[in-house]
Amino acid sequence: MNVPLLDLKLQYDLVLTDIKTAIEKVFESHRYILGPQVKEFEKDMQKYCEVNHAIGCASGTDALVLALKALEIQEDDEVITTTFTFFATAGSISRVGAKPVFVDIKPDTFNIDPQKIENAITTKTKAIIVVHLFGQPAEMDKIMEIARKYNLKVIEDNAQGIGAKFDGKFAGTIGDIGTLSFFPSKNLGAMGDAGMCLTNSDKLAARLVQLRVHGENPQYFHKWVGLNSRLDTIQAAVLKVKLPYLNDWSDARRQNAQYYYMNLNDVPQIKLPFIHEKVTSIYNQFTLIAENRDGLLEHLRKNDIGCAVYYPKPLHVQECFSKLGYKKGDMPIAEEISQKVISIPVFSEITTEQQNYVIETIKEFYAQG
Ligand SMILES: *Cc1c(COP(=O)(O)O)cnc(C)c1O
């Protein structure tokens, strides 16, 4: 049996006809840049996330750069973030000329440790970028309390957490600005690159709208140096068709996760994902801590099961950040976790038969000793 880590074809088959019609409409209207579908999708997202403003842009990475610029983060400012995340989180900080300051994670949720944020604050600290890793929101109550105490801005990198909640509130709507990615492997995926910023602030929303068109307002008058980063009209049309399915897809992921919890809890060599009590996760990934991780990875792949290591190397020890002066041993939890994590298939359309095969194959590996 073959079980991919993610099967985009099944989703596509479901929405195919509507997507083709929607794309054709864009072609026929010839309004390729910021066409009406962009505003319509922004409105749908604003309602879905229960937030005042949703501003589309070209990618989740650009959303982070736009957010930092809107918050006027600049050279010599320090921005605190987690060392255990996708590269874009920290790369965007460098891109605006600021300095990423990394902190370690909690060993159970893999999310940033609020206590360690407080220890990393200096007079230069201007903001925190929180990541809601694998679809589980970080501890936003504690993080917002620290931000208020030290007067810091908060960006939520919610690329992996669309629709997830912390204490009943949508992830990405709690800090100053939340960012989303519609990269095809996220829970709501476009057919190419796409991203978005969320905010409850009218002032920040107005800035973000200007920043995505070179900071201009009115046309050809520039108050800021912005980006060329629009949400493509075709991608907006695709996403508008897919959004009504998102809750079902996330529910299915949660059910698939429950099935693993029920059937893998008797394997002492693995630790199943821990979910914080105040959180609703959307399981963008189902990530285990596994004994002999590399052996398990090889065994699953040999048996046609898609799996991946997110992430094999924390950011503080990446070559491009060597000038920041971090060394191995500085973030022991992330360093250890990166050697032990493995993500297994949890996509919405996975069948029980496929899940059983994944479960059996994991058990078989550890039974062999
Ligand atoms: C995917 C992702 C991004 C970047 O999104 P793109 O749309 O690929 O630019 C940023 N942060 C995190 C945590 C991500 O998972």
Side-chain angles (χ1 to χ4, degrees):
M1 193 184 302
N2 174 37
V3 189
L5 186 57
L6 176 67
D7 191 342
L8 290 174
K9 184 183 182 310
L10 297 166
Q11 251 188 23
Y12 180 59
D13 290 344
L14 182 75
V15 292
L16 169 76
T17 321
D18 290 347
I19 281 185
K20 284 189 172 163
T21 310
I23 291 177
E24 220 162 74
K25 257 195 194 153
V26 177
F27 288 152
E28 284 164 4
S29 77
H30 308 293
R31 296 178 65 184
Y32 306 120
I33 304 294
L34 294 176
Q37 289 85 350
V38 174
K39 207 163 215 119
E40 289 166 25
F41 176 63
E42 286 174 342
K43 205 159 195 120
D44 292 352
M45 280 301 299
Q46 179 211 324
K47 277 192 202 134
Y48 180 85
C49 294
E50 297 172 5
V51 67
N52 290 346
H53 303 277
I55 299 103
C57 63
S59 71
T61 305
D62 277 6
L64 287 162
V65 175
L66 288 166
L68 287 161
K69 281 182 172 285
L71 293 167
E72 298 181 84
I73 305 302
Q74 49 207 345
E75 229 142 292
D76 294 331
D77 289 344
E78 292 181 2
V79 179
I80 294 173
T81 195
T82 166
T83 188
F84 194 59
T85 175
F86 178 61
F87 178 77
T89 314
S92 64
I93 299 170
S94 297
R95 290 251 316 268
V96 300
K99 179 180 164 193
V101 173
F102 294 110
V103 304
D104 211 348
I105 53 170
K106 306 250 287 202
D108 50 3
T109 62
F110 314 142
N111 274 326
I112 194 164
D113 186 336
Q115 182 65 52
K116 289 175 185 154
I117 293 178
E118 199 155 4
N119 298 342
I121 292 170
T122 73
T123 51
K124 290 184 168 179
T125 310
K126 291 283 158 53
I128 306 165
I129 303 186
V130 180
V131 179
H132 304 314
L133 202 69
F134 305 147
Q136 156 156 245
E139 289 171 274
M140 288 308 291
D141 49 356
K142 292 184 187 161
I143 291 163
M144 293 309 291
E145 203 181 301
I146 293 166
R148 271 191 289 270
K149 185 168 156 194
Y150 295 92
N151 194 24
L152 305 177
K153 304 295 182 193
V154 175
I155 297 170
E156 296 174 74
D157 180 347
N158 197 31
Q160 301 180 9
I162 186 171
K165 286 182 178 171
F166 184 86
D167 220 357
K169 271 197 188 157
F170 278 98
T173 70
I174 303 163
D176 295 279
I177 300 176
T179 64
L180 295 172
S181 164
F182 303 110
F183 187 84
S185 68
K186 315 290 181 176
N187 279 32
L188 182 62
M191 291 174 163
D193 280 311
M196 183 167 269
C197 291
L198 308 173
T199 183
N200 281 309
S201 154
D202 296 348
K203 185 175 120 188
L204 291 175
R207 272 189 202 170
L208 288 164
V209 166
Q210 290 175 28
L211 284 166
R212 73 175 171 184
V213 286
H214 298 293
E216 70 176 15
N217 183 38
Q219 198 175 20
Y220 306 127
F221 290 79
H222 300 265
K223 179 161 181 190
W224 322 85
V225 178
L227 282 72
N228 171 4
S229 182
R230 274 85 63 149
L231 171 57
D232 190 274
T233 311
I234 292 172
Q235 297 304 336
V238 167
L239 290 163
K240 189 175 158 54
V241 170
K242 290 179 85 176
L243 178 59
Y245 297 92
L246 178 59
N247 280 345
D248 287 348
W249 287 335
S250 294
D251 282 346
R253 281 173 182 266
R254 275 191 285 270
Q255 276 168 25
N256 299 337
Q258 283 315 313
Y259 196 77
Y260 282 138
Y261 281 113
M262 277 175 354
N263 292 288
L264 281 173
N265 63 0
D266 57 348
V267 185
Q269 294 91 343
I270 59 174
K271 202 167 146 267
L272 298 167
F274 170 83
I275 301 297
H276 189 277
E277 59 186 7
K278 289 188 181 167
V279 148
T280 317
S281 176
I282 55 152
Y283 292 99
N284 180 246
Q285 299 296 340
F286 193 85
T287 303
L288 315 171
I289 294 187
E291 230 170 71
N292 187 5
R293 190 268 316 272
D294 292 338
L296 178 63
L297 192 76
E298 196 188 312
H299 183 74
L300 292 178
R301 285 184 176 160
K302 220 168 52 199
N303 286 283
D304 287 327
I305 294 171
C307 47
V309 173
Y310 304 120
Y311 297 92
K313 191 171 189 174
L315 297 186
H316 69 281
V317 283
Q318 294 285 345
E319 191 179 342
C320 66
F321 292 131
S322 60
K323 280 205 195 90
L324 296 175
Y326 293 100
K327 55 189 188 312
K328 218 170 158 200
D330 284 348
M331 319 259 154
I333 296 168
E335 288 170 32
E336 188 189 336
I337 296 279
S338 64
Q339 301 303 310
K340 292 183 173 173
V341 281
I342 177 170
S343 300
I344 60 173
V346 73
F347 62 95
S348 312
E349 299 81 5
I350 193 171
T351 62
T352 306
E353 204 187 358
Q354 285 177 311
Q355 279 199 284
N356 285 338
Y357 178 63
V358 174
I359 292 159
E360 280 160 26
T361 311
I362 290 173
K363 288 185 173 172
E364 176 190 270
F365 173 72
Y366 288 113
Q368 287 170 358

